[in-house]
Amino acid sequence: DAKTTQPTSMDCAEGRAANLPCNHSTISGNEYVYWYRQIHSQGPQYIIHGLKNNETNEMASLIITEDRKSSTLILPHATLRDTAVYYCIVTNAGNMLTFGGGTRLMVKP
Amino acid sequence: DTGVSQNPRHKITKRGQNVTFRCDPISEHNRLYWYRQTLGQGPEFLTYFQNEAQLEKSRLLSDRFSAERPKGSFSTLEIQRTEQGDSAMYLCASSLDKSSYEQYFGPGTRLTVT
């Protein structure tokens, strides 16, 4: 699986968009970009995934650069409940997930 | 559907004792994964099953660890002769099949070895 690099921590004001970057320069052609988050004391929760195109669901949007070497997870209107560790993972569908250190997002009132 | 459940939620044991954890995946999910998470780190993969077959094991899974999924439904993870380094959160996840994109995680079992 390709390695990912994420900032260790980020802050965001409540109600504003949170933009979480991820670098995955060694991604291979058939690997997907996944985002999971883990709220304190809970198991990780799937957010979104994509291959090449930008994706949007009820939780977030995923923007993948044309060369697929980086991506950004966007939470359009962050709430206090979005405070969590966000993990960017690159792998094939069905594979085990290789979690890095993730980004600790703190949403502040 | 109540999601993935894990029991017990917390376990405190003395070094050298054996412990067993149980995971009940979402019904009809063929794949079941075990991960371990230590404080401040992301989860690390341990092993996974496709139905009752154990398909892959991490090098983290020493010979003191054994996992089973006897009828392709629930799974157990046993740790024999526990060590203090085994203290961690043990997470279970399930997915529908090998082409599924999403893994559903349980709440985890927190093991403390004293």
Side-chain angles (χ1 to χ4, degrees):
Chain A
D1 294 343
K3 183 178 168 55
T4 62
T5 305
Q6 299 178 250
T8 305
S9 64
M10 293 182 66
D11 290 345
C12 177
E14 188 179 19
R16 304 298 294 268
N19 296 281
L20 291 91
C22 179
N23 286 322
H24 33 78
S25 57
T26 60
I27 191 170
S28 64
N30 56 351
E31 288 183 314
Y32 289 80
V33 180
Y34 292 82
W35 283 83
Y36 279 75
R37 74 179 182 184
Q38 189 171 25
I39 294 169
H40 184 61
S41 296
Q42 297 183 21
Q45 175 192 25
Y46 165 86
I47 301 173
I48 199 167
H49 76 278
L51 184 63
K52 298 188 227 189
N53 300 323
N54 299 337
E55 303 287 345
T56 295
N57 63 19
E58 64 278 3
M59 287 182 71
S61 294
L62 174 60
I63 308 297
I64 302 174
T65 57
E66 194 168 338
D67 63 7
R68 304 215 315 131
K69 293 184 177 182
S70 66
S71 60
T72 301
L73 178 75
I74 301 172
L75 308 178
H77 305 287
T79 71
L80 298 179
R81 288 176 297 178
D82 292 321
T83 292
V85 179
Y86 287 77
Y87 296 100
C88 169
I89 299 165
V90 172
T91 189
N92 294 310
N95 274 7
M96 79 288 194
L97 301 172
T98 302
F99 292 83
T103 296
R104 187 170 298 277
L105 176 69
M106 179 74 71
V107 180
K108 299 185 172 179
Chain B
D1 189 347
T2 57
V4 178
S5 62
Q6 293 188 246
N7 288 288
R9 294 291 310 277
H10 303 274
K11 178 72 177 177
I12 300 174
T13 191
K14 292 187 176 178
R15 191 174 52 191
Q17 298 294 304
N18 299 343
V19 294
T20 300
F21 311 139
R22 176 176 169 130
C23 171
D24 286 89
I26 294 171
S27 60
E28 299 183 355
H29 275 197
N30 294 329
R31 286 223 162 168
L32 187 148
Y33 305 80
W34 285 99
Y35 295 84
R36 181 174 72 183
Q37 185 173 26
T38 53
L39 213 57
Q41 306 296 315
E44 297 171 293
F45 168 75
L46 292 178
T47 188
Y48 83 89
F49 293 83
Q50 173 77 27
N51 298 312
E52 64 275 7
Q54 189 173 16
L55 295 187
E56 189 168 345
K57 291 194 285 189
S58 160
R59 283 173 291 180
L60 291 175
L61 213 66
S62 75
D63 55 7
R64 296 185 298 106
F65 288 69
S66 62
E68 293 183 342
R69 195 182 182 197
K71 295 182 181 178
S73 56
F74 72 92
S75 175
T76 58
L77 178 68
E78 181 184 17
I79 309 174
Q80 295 183 325
R81 304 181 304 280
T82 52
E83 301 172 355
Q84 286 190 318
D86 297 330
S87 295
M89 176 75 83
Y90 290 83
L91 292 160
C92 175
S94 70
S95 66
L96 187 58
D97 56 36
K98 64 181 180 181
S99 61
S100 296
Y101 299 110
E102 182 175 353
Q103 293 184 23
Y104 295 82
F105 282 80
T109 294
R110 181 166 294 286
L111 173 67
T112 302
V113 182
T114 61

